[in-house]
Amino acid sequence: MMTPISLPDQTFEGGVLPVNADRIERRLAEVWSLATHSGDQGQDLVKVCLANIVVVCDGLTRPEAEILALAIAREYPSRVILTVVDDEIKSYYAFVRTSCVKDPDSGAIRCWEIIELVSEQTRVKSIVGALRSLLVDSVPIVTVDFRPFQSTPALDNMLLDLSDLVLVNADVVPAGASVRQLLPLRWFHTLPIRLLIGDFFGMMTAQTNPSKFTVYSQPNRDTYYDLMAGWLVARLEKHNIAVSVSDQPTDEQTILTIEFGHDLDKAVLRLAETPEKVEWKLHYRNQCLTRSVTDWPLASYIVGTLQDGSEQREFEAVASTIARMRHHS
Amino acid sequence: MTTTAAPFGNPFATRFMRPRQAGPFAFVIFGASGDLTQRKLVPALYNLWLDGFLPKPFAVVGFARRQKTDEQFRAEMTEAITSFSRRKPESRESLQQFISQLSYVPGAFGETADYQTLRNQLMALSSERRVPDNRLFYLATPPDAFDDIISNLKNSGLVSRHSEEEPWSRVIVEKPYGHDEQSAQELNEIAYRVFKEKQIYRIDHYLGKETVQNILVLRLGNAIFEPLWNRRYIDHVQISVAESLGVGSRAGYFEQAGIIRDMIQSHIMQVFTLIAMEPPAAFEATAIRDEKVKVLRSLRKFSPEEVAVNVVRGQYAAGSVGGEDVVGYRQEQNVAPGSMTDTYVAMKLSIDNWRWSGVPFYLRSGKRLPKRVTEVSIVFKAPPLRLFEAAGCEALSPNILRLRIQPQEGISLSFGAKAPGQAVTVAPVRMDFMYSNSFAEATAEAYERLILDALVGDSTLFARDDEVSLSWRVVDSIIKQFPNLPLHSYPAGDWGPRGADEFMARDGREWLRL
């Protein structure tokens, strides 16, 4: 017996199923039907699907993948297909659920659906067929792959081929894959820094010409110093300003310094981590600009990137610049 | 010889995640002690700030007669945000960061010395926060303060003549923009002493609503609608702005204005021009506003006799709204016992151009109607052939495209579908799009959109001087005949006077149920 949607949030679970696209779709239709008739006043639900979001993970990366799957569905009504490739699970199954949220002010009910496909690596080929059938046509396909290595060519190539946007954790994608719109997750991690630097120079109303940018590599942590250096070089192309990469950081937290000519004026960008938050801080004279890494969650970033092609264009320019820099070095 | 290096500028600027961020500015609110500042302006600025649309260096200065300190003003605005913002502050710290940008200058609108104080404050802020002298003045005041404020702005040297180049100056003016064509032109003359037309932003908050903006997107961003948007396919258009509230505390103003000035000249005319205009050559302010003006120029002018046939006036009497008994308009506080002010007006407009010849536009607005709703309904013509009558089907309902502006912004299309069963029975069904169901991002308040537009210099959603003049001209020609038009009474809670239904019935039509 379905309880009415009078709670702020409600999830309707369709339970465990075999990995069979037809059965999954039928079960989803049943769950939708139950949800539809559960409104307090028999209110119709509007099922809106603006995208397919395929989130791929392994056992280790499953927690962050699940966080993204839930977050993005709330923000951008989509069909989310969480694909778990995990050899620890000697199993092969699908799980479906729909979640509904009732707006307390308007009473409007918004729902989204999440399909989980779980498989051990050896059976991934079977998932590929089901996944292809489950993709909703006429809306974009976004793939977010949290795995550190892409090790399932059948699945990886299919997603790379079909997706309009692919965000990967892995540094290396399979050779021969046709890459259309590929963004490394590391590039996403540079977003708060790029916006912070943009805001900083937006505030510099006096004629202050920087003379040198130095990016510091940090070998002991996940880094994106190469992307930062590439971005700075790409953006500063028309200005005759030096950008260098140093493996001799002044301290563990400093990622970037900006020198302003002869008066030894310097801005320093540092990472500040506490148990509660992670922030980027740009110190210059007596000012400190701060951006939290949570200001732009991954879900919002993905939605923004889908709606605005500038991130892909920017990354393409940066990747091209990095390739040029490596060629010359 | 010294050479100066070209300014570095900002090669790192990006629009990603913040497509319309404003540059540094100072925002001066004249009339900052009033309701509008608390309920709309400061909450709007706060939400813009939360969403990253405001730059880091900005300043908000309230200017009003009441004596208060910066701290008192900030405390009031903290309370205002807590009460009226669509998003409540997540943390005291975050709210404090915004509130610390606010300050207050007590002053009288007519007192020149007070503008010097304002000037000193702005210069100090400019220096301290490195805010360039970009200034947006908001006149949240009655129109009779306009002259004093504008004159003193001129005399104090607070205004630059640039509308886009830094340091720019712009002014936002609230409606009512005059009470007739002549007074609107007089306000223009006052404003032009200091500002150029490009610097003047005449605000109508309806234009900040998502669905109103969506009118153009719907029409011009989808190939399927524009070919139907004309006299061949559309039977008529209804634009309704219904309010369930009475005149409340606004009787002083409303007695002079009436609903025709309060709603029809401003909000409804804006919506009407967006529905009726030709596609612009470019999606930019001048092109769009040019097309809106063309619609107003194409309106058929009423002769005095035609006003009597095409306009219905009404005034609410005692009744019941939403289950609550309410008094009639003449029993409201500050309303004259024999008041002849209209609280309801319905009219039929005709546009004499190739697109709309023969398509009536029915406009209505009223207070103390059963519910608060604003909607545009495009009613399409019946199919040329009634195929299903032979199968026993009765006359089909027309296709109606409804644009719901408030509440619950959205769009719906009703069409006929075969009802399940053996017989060919056609039943009306609706295809709905509601903003709240389709987009997770909460729709911004209209003032947020409009203030940001003014800050970035986009005047598309603000009324231009000729638009305002022409809409007043239409309304003035009708108001002139009001002494000759009966004022029909209607009970509060009804959908207006019977005369309005009869007026539709004469044309073989009826008001759609809202």
Side-chain angles (χ1 to χ4, degrees):
Chain A
M1 174 81 176
M2 207 41 91
T3 51
I5 305 176
S6 50
L7 302 170
D9 293 359
Q10 195 145 348
T11 296
F12 300 89
E13 294 189 348
V16 175
L17 299 168
V19 179
N20 176 288
D22 282 343
R23 287 188 67 173
I24 290 170
E25 292 284 10
R26 274 205 300 274
R27 182 62 62 86
L28 274 172
E30 287 165 11
V31 176
W32 273 109
S33 178
L34 285 169
T36 301
H37 294 105
S38 294
D40 305 326
Q41 291 139 12
Q43 185 175 357
D44 286 342
L45 301 179
V46 176
K47 179 181 164 186
V48 178
C49 179
L50 300 176
N52 297 285
I53 312 283
V54 181
V55 184
V56 187
C57 62
D58 55 21
L60 282 173
T61 53
R62 187 169 181 171
E64 59 186 309
E66 286 181 343
I67 290 172
L68 174 67
L70 291 171
I72 198 163
R74 280 186 102 95
E75 189 163 332
Y76 199 65
S78 314
R79 169 169 281 189
V80 179
I81 306 174
L82 177 64
T83 307
V84 184
V85 181
D86 186 1
D87 279 340
E88 295 299 312
I89 299 176
K90 304 294 177 199
S91 194
Y92 177 65
Y93 64 87
F95 187 88
V96 301
R97 62 176 178 271
T98 62
S99 291
C100 292
V101 170
K102 187 176 180 182
D103 186 300
D105 296 322
S106 67
I109 298 171
R110 184 186 306 120
C111 298
W112 57 88
E113 51 195 23
I114 299 181
I115 303 167
E116 267 183 55
L117 302 174
V118 182
S119 166
E120 52 193 329
Q121 193 137 316
T122 51
R123 299 193 69 176
V124 160
K125 272 190 181 168
S126 307
I127 275 194
V128 171
L131 179 50
R132 197 195 301 270
S133 299
L134 289 168
L135 294 170
V136 176
D137 60 9
S138 77
V139 294
I141 302 170
V142 177
T143 295
V144 186
D145 192 339
F146 282 99
R147 297 172 299 169
F149 306 101
Q150 289 199 317
S151 52
T152 50
L155 173 67
D156 304 335
N157 290 345
M158 188 267 287
L159 289 172
L160 284 169
D161 195 41
L162 289 181
S163 299
D164 299 283
L165 175 64
V166 180
L167 290 98
V168 291
N169 218 0
D171 285 334
V172 178
V173 295
S178 75
V179 172
R180 200 176 297 162
Q181 303 275 17
L182 191 65
L183 284 179
L185 282 167
R186 293 189 309 129
W187 175 243
F188 158 66
H189 292 306
T190 67
L191 181 68
I193 308 172
R194 289 184 275 133
L195 293 177
L196 183 51
I197 294 172
D199 287 344
F200 173 66
F201 281 98
M203 285 170 59
M204 303 285 278
T205 54
Q207 284 188 6
T208 308
N209 289 345
S211 56
K212 186 178 175 187
F213 289 73
T214 306
V215 179
Y216 295 93
S217 65
Q218 300 283 353
N220 296 327
R221 65 160 97 240
D222 289 335
T223 61
Y224 21 77
Y225 67 88
D226 57 333
L227 296 178
M228 283 309 306
W231 179 69
L232 288 166
V233 169
R235 285 283 183 142
L236 292 169
E237 215 165 352
K238 294 185 179 117
H239 303 263
N240 192 18
I241 295 175
V243 176
S244 65
V245 177
S246 169
D247 57 6
Q248 303 291 328
T250 53
D251 58 63
E252 269 190 19
Q253 284 74 36
T254 297
I255 186 163
L256 173 73
T257 56
I258 307 169
E259 289 165 51
F260 293 95
H262 55 272
D263 59 359
L264 301 179
D265 210 7
K266 194 189 278 193
V268 180
L269 175 63
R270 286 199 180 94
L271 184 66
E273 280 181 294
T274 65
E276 290 81 34
K277 55 189 174 185
V278 180
E279 292 178 321
W280 288 103
K281 290 179 183 286
L282 185 65
H283 299 268
Y284 178 64
R285 295 184 179 172
N286 59 350
Q287 292 183 36
C288 176
L289 279 187
T290 304
R291 294 293 175 273
S292 168
V293 298
T294 55
D295 283 349
W296 297 278
L298 180 56
S300 303
Y301 178 78
I302 292 169
V303 174
T305 305
L306 266 178
Q307 294 170 341
D308 170 357
S310 63
E311 267 293 272
Q312 286 107 305
R313 288 194 293 275
E314 177 102 69
F315 177 70
E316 273 176 65
V318 168
S320 162
T321 303
I322 291 173
R324 223 171 40 240
M325 285 160 65
R326 283 185 183 146
H327 179 71
H328 286 134
S329 67
Chain B
M1 185 171 97
T2 49
T3 52
T4 311
F8 180 65
N10 185 6
F12 304 108
T14 179
R15 293 243 181 259
F16 181 68
M17 301 294 272
R18 38 169 81 163
R20 307 183 81 235
Q21 193 185 47
F25 65 90
F27 188 86
V28 180
I29 305 175
F30 289 97
S33 292
D35 230 26
L36 184 69
T37 301
Q38 297 201 19
R39 286 178 168 270
K40 295 293 182 188
L41 301 186
V42 169
L45 286 165
Y46 175 64
N47 280 286
L48 286 173
W49 178 81
L50 277 181
D51 288 334
F53 289 117
L54 300 189
K56 285 313 155 192
F58 72 94
V60 178
V61 181
F63 182 100
R65 204 174 30 234
R66 279 190 215 148
Q67 289 293 326
K68 54 182 95 153
T69 61
D70 286 348
E71 287 66 37
Q72 286 169 319
F73 182 62
R74 287 171 188 158
E76 283 173 14
M77 294 304 113
T78 300
E79 184 58 40
I81 289 169
T82 308
S83 304
F84 301 115
S85 169
R86 63 178 169 89
R87 280 177 295 184
K88 303 307 167 201
E90 281 177 5
S91 73
R92 199 184 160 82
E93 192 188 55
S94 137
L95 177 57
Q96 200 44 44
Q97 281 179 20
F98 171 78
I99 286 291
S100 63
Q101 311 298 318
L102 276 56
S103 59
Y104 185 83
V105 172
F109 298 143
E111 195 55 59
T112 307
D114 293 339
Y115 286 78
Q116 280 307 315
T117 310
L118 175 63
R119 185 165 198 266
N120 295 341
Q121 172 76 338
L122 289 171
M123 304 289 282
L125 286 168
S126 188
S127 166
E128 171 199 316
R129 295 182 198 172
R130 295 171 166 244
V131 175
D133 293 330
N134 300 324
R135 291 176 187 146
L136 181 60
F137 301 100
Y138 200 112
L139 270 54
T141 65
D144 54 17
F146 209 47
D147 198 348
D148 278 342
I149 295 172
I150 297 291
S151 299
N152 279 297
L153 281 176
K154 181 182 181 190
N155 296 335
S156 59
L158 276 166
V159 177
S160 96
R161 291 292 278 173
H162 301 300
S163 60
E164 277 141 60
E165 196 187 301
E166 288 190 349
W168 49 258
S169 291
R170 299 172 190 143
V171 64
I172 297 180
V173 186
E174 271 284 342
K175 70 174 263 299
Y177 202 75
H179 56 267
D180 56 23
E181 185 181 0
Q182 188 183 339
S183 59
Q185 282 173 356
E186 284 165 9
L187 287 178
N188 283 339
E189 295 305 318
I190 295 171
Y192 293 156
R193 285 187 226 144
V194 184
F195 296 99
K196 294 187 281 205
E197 175 58 30
K198 273 193 162 181
Q199 295 174 281
I200 303 172
Y201 289 69
R202 297 175 192 81
I203 198 167
D204 181 325
H205 72 272
Y206 261 55
L207 292 178
K209 293 182 177 293
E210 288 290 354
T211 314
V212 172
Q213 295 167 46
N214 204 12
I215 292 172
L216 286 182
V217 173
L218 184 77
R219 283 186 59 190
L220 308 173
N222 295 286
I224 57 172
F225 290 114
E226 193 56 22
L228 307 177
W229 212 265
N230 57 65
R231 54 191 291 271
R232 284 187 67 189
Y233 299 100
I234 294 177
D235 179 73
H236 71 277
V237 177
Q238 295 185 20
I239 303 175
S240 302
V241 179
E243 294 184 352
S244 56
L245 296 177
V247 71
S249 59
R250 296 176 69 228
Y253 157 73
F254 197 82
E255 272 279 83
Q256 308 306 315
I259 201 104
I260 192 167
R261 291 188 180 91
D262 189 37
M263 299 299 287
I264 299 216
Q265 183 273 334
S266 52
H267 304 325
I268 295 192
M269 279 302 196
Q270 287 292 337
V271 173
F272 163 73
T273 51
L274 288 173
I275 293 289
M277 63 183 259
E278 294 298 318
F283 197 77
E284 56 87 35
T286 304
I288 290 171
R289 298 199 289 181
D290 282 349
E291 295 305 332
K292 289 166 75 184
V293 163
K294 277 192 213 166
V295 172
L296 294 170
R297 289 195 196 286
S298 305
L299 274 176
R300 188 182 304 164
K301 293 167 189 37
F302 289 135
S303 65
E305 296 73 31
E306 281 167 341
V307 171
V309 169
N310 291 296
V311 180
V312 174
R313 299 176 71 208
Q315 187 186 88
Y316 66 84
S320 172
V321 179
E324 202 181 292
D325 289 339
V326 297
V327 299
Y329 179 72
R330 290 178 184 173
Q331 287 79 51
E332 300 268 22
Q333 210 172 17
N334 299 323
V335 172
S339 172
M340 294 296 283
T341 300
D342 42 289
T343 65
Y344 178 98
V345 168
M347 61 177 69
K348 179 169 91 170
L349 297 181
S350 303
I351 303 175
D352 288 332
N353 65 17
W354 278 82
R355 183 185 286 270
W356 295 116
S357 175
V359 179
F361 282 72
Y362 298 101
L363 280 52
R364 62 173 166 168
S365 182
K367 289 192 174 295
R368 285 292 188 212
L369 300 183
K371 52 169 118 164
R372 176 179 170 259
V373 58
T374 299
E375 188 172 285
V376 179
S377 303
I378 317 287
V379 182
F380 290 87
K381 288 183 170 169
L385 195 59
R386 295 188 178 182
L387 274 177
F388 301 103
E389 276 185 356
C393 271
E394 294 176 5
L396 300 175
S397 308
N399 301 130
I400 303 175
L401 180 67
R402 292 179 190 243
L403 287 70
R404 173 65 65 96
I405 292 169
Q406 64 185 11
Q408 297 271 50
E409 296 187 65
I411 298 170
S412 77
L413 177 65
S414 55
F415 56 95
K418 181 188 173 303
Q422 298 286 348
V424 176
T425 315
V426 181
V429 295
R430 267 168 67 144
M431 200 157 61
D432 283 306
F433 153 68
M434 276 169 53
Y435 268 96
S436 60
N437 281 352
S438 303
F439 294 105
E441 192 177 321
T443 51
E445 285 279 320
Y447 275 92
E448 289 171 44
R449 172 66 195 250
L450 295 170
I451 289 175
L452 183 59
D453 275 6
L455 287 171
V456 303
D458 183 351
S459 53
T460 309
L461 298 178
F462 295 84
R464 205 166 65 184
D465 55 351
D466 48 357
E467 260 181 270
V468 172
S469 281
L470 285 166
S471 60
W472 273 124
R473 198 174 298 171
V474 171
V475 164
D476 283 350
S477 70
I478 297 170
I479 292 174
K480 217 168 152 179
Q481 301 307 318
F482 270 12
N484 305 323
L485 278 188
L487 184 70
H488 301 280
S489 180
Y490 62 95
D494 264 20
W495 279 106
R498 203 156 287 180
D501 296 332
E502 288 161 4
F503 144 92
M504 285 291 262
R506 266 201 318 263
D507 290 351
R509 298 180 178 105
E510 57 184 15
W511 292 109
L512 293 171
R513 192 159 51 88
L514 299 176

